[in-house]
Amino acid sequence: MDHIRRTERLAAMTQMLVRSPNKNLALSVFCDAFETAKSTASEDLDIVRTAMKRFSLGSLETLPGAAGGVRYRPLVPRDQALAEVRALCERLGNAGRVLPGGLLFMADVLGDTATLTRMGEVLASEYYEAEPDFVVTMETQGIPLAMMTARALNVPMVIARRSVKAYEGAAVHITYPVGHSYETMSLPRRMVREGQRALIVDDVLRTGGTLAGLRSLMNEFAVTVVGAAVMMATEEAYRSAPQTRPLAVMEGVDERTGSALLRPGDWLAS
């Protein structure tokens, strides 16, 4: 391999770290990639760590042990997270978003990969220390945010469905209340294992039925739920489920303009 300049190594190292969030990378990975000594790789990583800290781009941790190595986490500082969620609230509060029945149009936001990537990092920042083994959500609207959160945590995403296909094998089915009716959610037995830890992520907390159903489903698998988070919660639902972390809380509706009144979840300011 031709001689690699330090500036090139630093750029390539940063890309390797960013595309593998929350993954332990041994020093040998960088030594082999750039044909350098461990001391040189360590010095380069120190430069990357300093830059990330200075510009609040995440955390680069040194891992002890025989193999050694580093782990990049796209941690979002609370003040920065609060500012970005405020911008999300403003976007969701635009005139004309309120639909009949008090529902809020969110499809464009749930399809905005840049916004969802960042919101996933905001949520992941709160649950790194909880060390979930997977993120679980209910089809279908919760999938985008759950996917981005799972990526930042570097864990699988598990989807509970209203019914399972024959090719998914045996499944656990539960019935849970939603409003004045009942619905069913199912999960293949092979998707999770007893004793694992789950983080629940969904799109909206309105009645609390879906989150309660997901908790019950995890209980059937003897899985510990380490937390629950949603894109948006109504004020009433948030008061009845204070342990849930919503990015945005809908306080009410301006019927004259068809806009929603939203604020960031209280946990972001704590």
Side-chain angles (χ1 to χ4, degrees):
M1 182 182 291
D2 295 334
H3 175 70
I4 302 174
R5 292 176 294 180
R6 167 164 277 182
T7 52
E8 294 174 322
R9 287 201 309 271
L10 293 174
M13 279 183 168
T14 302
Q15 174 63 12
M16 291 169 68
L17 292 163
V18 169
R19 74 185 183 191
S20 301
N22 206 35
K23 181 177 181 180
N24 299 352
L25 295 177
L27 277 180
S28 59
V29 171
F30 303 102
C31 295
D32 293 343
F34 307 113
E35 297 182 355
T36 61
K38 284 190 175 182
S39 58
T40 301
S42 294
E43 291 173 2
D44 290 345
L45 289 167
D46 283 340
I47 294 173
V48 174
R49 179 184 295 106
T50 300
M52 286 183 170
K53 182 177 180 180
R54 178 177 181 182
F55 296 103
S56 299
L57 298 175
S59 169
L60 186 59
E61 304 172 0
T62 300
L63 303 172
V70 293
R71 175 177 59 200
Y72 166 70
R73 286 176 168 175
L75 288 168
V76 184
R78 272 289 182 86
D79 58 343
Q80 190 172 329
L82 182 59
E84 295 191 25
V85 173
R86 280 198 179 115
L88 174 66
C89 290
E90 291 178 6
R91 181 177 176 182
L92 290 174
N94 288 341
R97 278 193 177 270
V98 177
L99 303 173
L103 301 176
L104 191 65
F105 178 75
M106 296 172 54
D108 58 331
V109 175
L110 292 172
D112 184 338
T113 55
T115 296
L116 288 176
T117 297
R118 194 56 171 167
M119 293 303 104
E121 292 172 350
V122 168
L123 292 180
S125 297
E126 298 301 313
Y127 292 102
Y128 281 121
E129 299 307 319
E131 298 183 342
D133 295 299
F134 61 89
V135 172
V136 62
T137 191
M138 182 65 185
E139 65 175 357
T140 55
Q141 290 285 78
I143 292 175
L145 181 59
M147 176 72 79
M148 294 300 100
T149 305
R151 182 188 182 280
L153 289 166
N154 191 34
V155 298
M157 181 187 66
V158 173
I159 304 172
R161 302 189 184 279
R162 292 175 179 81
S163 63
V164 295
K165 307 298 182 182
Y167 55 76
E168 293 180 309
V172 172
H173 311 271
I174 67 164
T175 301
Y176 63 101
V178 176
H180 299 293
S181 63
Y182 288 86
E183 295 186 7
T184 299
M185 66 171 64
S186 306
L187 188 65
R189 290 187 178 277
R190 300 186 184 190
M191 291 300 296
V192 301
R193 300 189 307 276
E194 180 179 338
Q196 287 189 305
R197 298 163 64 83
L199 171 62
I200 297 173
V201 176
D202 205 8
D203 60 331
V204 175
L205 173 63
R206 186 174 295 107
T207 65
T210 301
L211 292 190
L214 286 168
R215 288 182 181 275
S216 296
L217 186 60
M218 293 298 98
N219 187 57
E220 291 295 322
F221 283 88
V223 166
T224 300
V225 175
V226 300
V230 295
M231 173 76 80
M232 188 200 71
T234 63
E235 183 73 62
E236 182 179 1
Y238 187 30
R239 287 198 301 268
S240 64
Q243 73 280 10
T244 301
R245 290 182 173 176
L247 291 169
V249 178
M250 188 165 75
E251 300 176 321
V253 173
D254 186 334
E255 296 183 358
R256 181 179 59 83
T257 61
S259 60
L261 306 174
L262 296 109
R263 72 170 193 277
D266 299 340
W267 61 275
L268 284 161
S270 62

